[in-house]
Amino acid sequence: MASVALEHLDKVYPGGTQAVADLSLEIAAGELVVCVGPSGSGKSTVLRIVAGLDEPTGGTIRIGGEVVNARRPQERNVAMVFQDYALYPHLTARGNLEFPLRMRGLARDDMRVRVERIAGLLDIGTLLDRLPKQLSGGQRQRVAMGRALVREPAVFLLDEPLSNLDPKLRIQVRAEIQELRAATPTTMIYVTHDQTEAMTLADRVAVLHHGRLQQVSPPRELYERPANVFVAGFIGNPPMNLFPAVLAAKLRPDAGAAATAGVRPEALRVSPDGALAGTVEHVEFLGHETLAHLRVDSTDVRVIARVPGMPAMAKGERLRVAVDPARIHLFDGEGRAIRG
Ligand code: ADP
Ligand code: MG
């Protein structure tokens, strides 16, 4: 396992699309960094550049401290798993896992030991004699991950590896990735558009938007202290409620400046003497909680409040919610967080 350092990476595709812009990021050996962002934000491009499948138009890539810009993918000791993993259809799961080791001329016994160890970690030990067509989607995905890991790469790159799985399998494979990491520390860069995956798997999350790094933080800090309006609106489900605001003199010297205020749905509390009054426009009963979509009186501001359980609540109903001032986030005119 090795550290990865990206220094001022740029990627402009022929035709002029800037997919990555001045991106710098250091990943420690053994760390799992999840790159998250909407579709088209440059996540796959970053990963392909680290793998050596794509060339940056500017910047430096270091693996284990060494500049690898000029090295071919095979010379970088990285393994990559894509969303559309392709197993060799005519080889069993075992054959697929052995394939990269055969290519390296590993001795038969060494090969068996490595394959069984990885198969045990990914819980596919009993499936080794099956062909890919005899495996479920989740099982195939685990074999694909095993095939990448069995090489013991310095860096493991995953591009939306769980996107093709149904939600239940996704949770299962997510848990397996965590176990795998506990058993064999590996440097991983994991790309996803799914914030739940980012929050549950990452040591640190790197948020990308239009090819620019917005924030790199441990999941908890990302949620509690979003660096800007984009991160505040992207992380959290439902996302943070954001409204236009004007800074008051008490808060800042630049009183009167335009700003944005944000409050998470769970920081709003239904209460008869709440400061915000509005009309319920829409109710989502989720079982363990209810999401009340509220339009604030005499504005077009809409907020979502998270209410525990399933209270009786209907469209058209009048509701008051209280806001805890300590849980209000403020952002300046450029969208940057104002730290109180
Ligand atoms: P993500 O993985 O976050 O969805 P990508 O890295 O695939 O984003 O793409 C980032 C941007 O670069 C997008 O605007 C995409 O259309 C563009 N792009 C990706 N690959 C190419 C390519 N081979 N040629 C031109 N533009 C590309
Ligand atoms: Mg992608």
Side-chain angles (χ1 to χ4, degrees), residues 238 265-266 268 270 280 282-293 304-314 319:
E266 60 271 27
L268 294 173
V270 176
V280 175
H282 179 56
V283 183
E284 293 176 85
F285 293 112
L286 299 174
H288 63 298
E289 66 179 19
T290 296
L291 301 176
H293 297 239
I304 302 178
R306 178 171 247 147
V307 189
M310 293 208 281
M313 198 180 272
L319 207 65

Side-chain angles (χ1 to χ4, degrees), residues 11-20 37-48 54 159-160 191-193 208 211:
K11 176 68 185 183
V12 183
Y13 280 108
T17 304
Q18 175 130 30
V20 180
S39 175
S41 56
K43 307 179 296 293
S44 294
T45 303
V46 171
L47 219 56
R48 292 173 54 80
D54 220 332
D159 193 351
E160 312 248 4
V191 157
T192 179
H193 64 275
L208 278 177

Side-chain angles (χ1 to χ4, degrees), residues 8-215:
H8 303 291
L9 272 196
D10 277 305
K11 176 68 185 183
V12 183
Y13 280 108
T17 304
Q18 175 130 30
V20 180
D22 195 26
L23 185 143
S24 295
L25 177 62
E26 286 193 28
I27 298 157
E31 191 179 23
L32 195 170
V33 167
V34 176
C35 279
V36 70
S39 175
S41 56
K43 307 179 296 293
S44 294
T45 303
V46 171
L47 219 56
R48 292 173 54 80
I49 288 173
V50 176
L53 300 171
D54 220 332
E55 252 181 83
T57 40
T60 307
I61 309 123
R62 288 174 198 273
I63 297 180
E66 286 178 40
V67 177
V68 298
N69 287 52
R71 287 198 203 155
R72 289 179 302 157
Q74 310 86 288
E75 298 164 339
R76 295 192 186 191
N77 196 16
V78 299
M80 191 149 165
V81 173
F82 301 92
Q83 177 180 347
D84 308 308
Y85 49 91
L87 296 175
Y88 303 110
H90 57 288
L91 295 179
T92 59
R94 183 190 298 279
N96 269 280
L97 290 175
E98 284 177 353
F99 191 83
L101 302 179
R102 270 183 215 285
M103 301 294 285
R104 295 190 174 186
L106 215 74
R108 185 149 265 296
D109 280 350
D110 292 345
M111 198 150 73
R112 197 172 40 82
V113 170
R114 272 218 221 173
V115 164
E116 294 198 345
R117 184 178 130 71
I118 289 289
L121 284 172
L122 287 167
D123 206 15
I124 47 175
T126 57
L127 309 171
L128 288 177
D129 296 324
R130 295 201 199 167
L131 290 168
K133 67 176 181 206
Q134 297 166 318
L135 298 169
S136 72
Q139 291 166 340
R140 279 203 291 268
Q141 182 59 316
R142 276 178 277 162
V143 174
M145 277 198 267
R147 188 177 58 183
L149 278 168
V150 78
R151 290 170 41 192
E152 298 178 0
V155 183
F156 193 33
L157 307 170
L158 302 109
D159 193 351
E160 312 248 4
L162 310 185
S163 304
N164 287 343
L165 303 182
D166 65 47
K168 206 170 150 193
L169 273 174
R170 232 178 274 164
I171 295 171
Q172 195 183 326
V173 181
R174 228 158 62 199
E176 251 134 38
I177 294 173
Q178 276 163 327
E179 274 175 40
L180 182 82
R181 283 196 70 219
T184 15
T186 312
T187 311
M188 291 195 190
I189 308 179
Y190 186 112
V191 157
T192 179
H193 64 275
D194 178 348
Q195 51 155 317
T196 310
E197 272 172 38
M199 297 297 274
T200 51
L201 285 173
D203 294 323
R204 285 186 305 154
V205 182
V207 183
L208 278 177
H209 181 43
H210 294 324
R212 286 189 185 276
L213 195 56
Q214 306 293 309
Q215 183 170 4

